[in-house]
Amino acid sequence: MRLPQEPDLPPQINIVPMIDVVFALLTFFIMSSLVLTRSAGLPVNLPAASTSKGQPSQEVVVTIAPNGQLRLNQTTTSLTQIAPQIQRLIQNTPNKLVIINADERVSHGQVVAVMDRIRQVQGAKLAIATKRP
């Protein structure tokens, strides 16, 4: 007695797991590229100025947060320590640009005090970050 043979099914490639792997890799590369973007300062609401110009390189960034906290290249600092720290950062590069990234809610007096300290540093060029209206 002979059993009926089952018809041979053609081989199939299941692409669903491959699509899952591709999407996982895509997600990984998107997330890693977001982490690798360089952020020079902290996120603050910059004041608007219609005459603002872009600056080529932001090597030294001083950020004044809305609560008055002072940071130099993302490192917390104080008003008394900012001039020596900037002097150390720009000692080998004359005419280095120091950008003040101050929130629009920070008092004018505090911004002027920071500007005064930065102007005491020999070889520092001063700029204030703004955004176009």
Side-chain angles (χ1 to χ4, degrees), residues 15-76:
I15 64 168
V16 174
M18 185 175 67
I19 292 173
D20 290 343
V21 169
V22 169
F23 279 128
L25 288 172
L26 181 65
T27 304
F28 171 75
F29 286 122
I30 290 173
M31 296 305 287
S32 63
S33 68
L34 292 175
V35 171
L36 294 176
T37 57
R38 182 173 178 230
S39 178
L42 296 176
V44 292
N45 294 324
L46 296 174
S50 60
T51 59
S52 64
K53 295 180 183 177
Q55 295 296 329
S57 66
Q58 297 182 1
E59 300 290 335
V60 179
V61 177
V62 177
T63 304
I64 307 172
N67 62 359
Q69 186 180 34
L70 194 60
R71 290 184 176 239
L72 177 63
N73 288 343
Q74 306 228 4
T75 305
T76 304

Side-chain angles (χ1 to χ4, degrees), residues 32-121:
S32 63
S33 68
L34 292 175
V35 171
L36 294 176
T37 57
R38 182 173 178 230
S39 178
L42 296 176
V44 292
N45 294 324
L46 296 174
S50 60
T51 59
S52 64
K53 295 180 183 177
Q55 295 296 329
S57 66
Q58 297 182 1
E59 300 290 335
V60 179
V61 177
V62 177
T63 304
I64 307 172
N67 62 359
Q69 186 180 34
L70 194 60
R71 290 184 176 239
L72 177 63
N73 288 343
Q74 306 228 4
T75 305
T76 304
T77 187
S78 66
L79 186 61
T80 57
Q81 292 297 316
I82 197 157
Q85 289 174 345
I86 291 175
Q87 184 65 47
R88 271 185 258 126
L89 287 173
I90 68 169
Q91 63 186 349
N92 296 331
T93 320
N95 297 325
K96 189 140 193 178
L97 189 61
V98 179
I99 298 174
I100 296 180
N101 195 11
D103 192 276
E104 63 185 2
R105 292 175 295 213
V106 174
S107 73
H108 181 67
Q110 187 172 8
V111 175
V112 170
V114 171
M115 288 172 60
D116 185 45
R117 296 292 174 125
I118 294 172
R119 283 188 185 145
Q120 294 173 5
V121 176

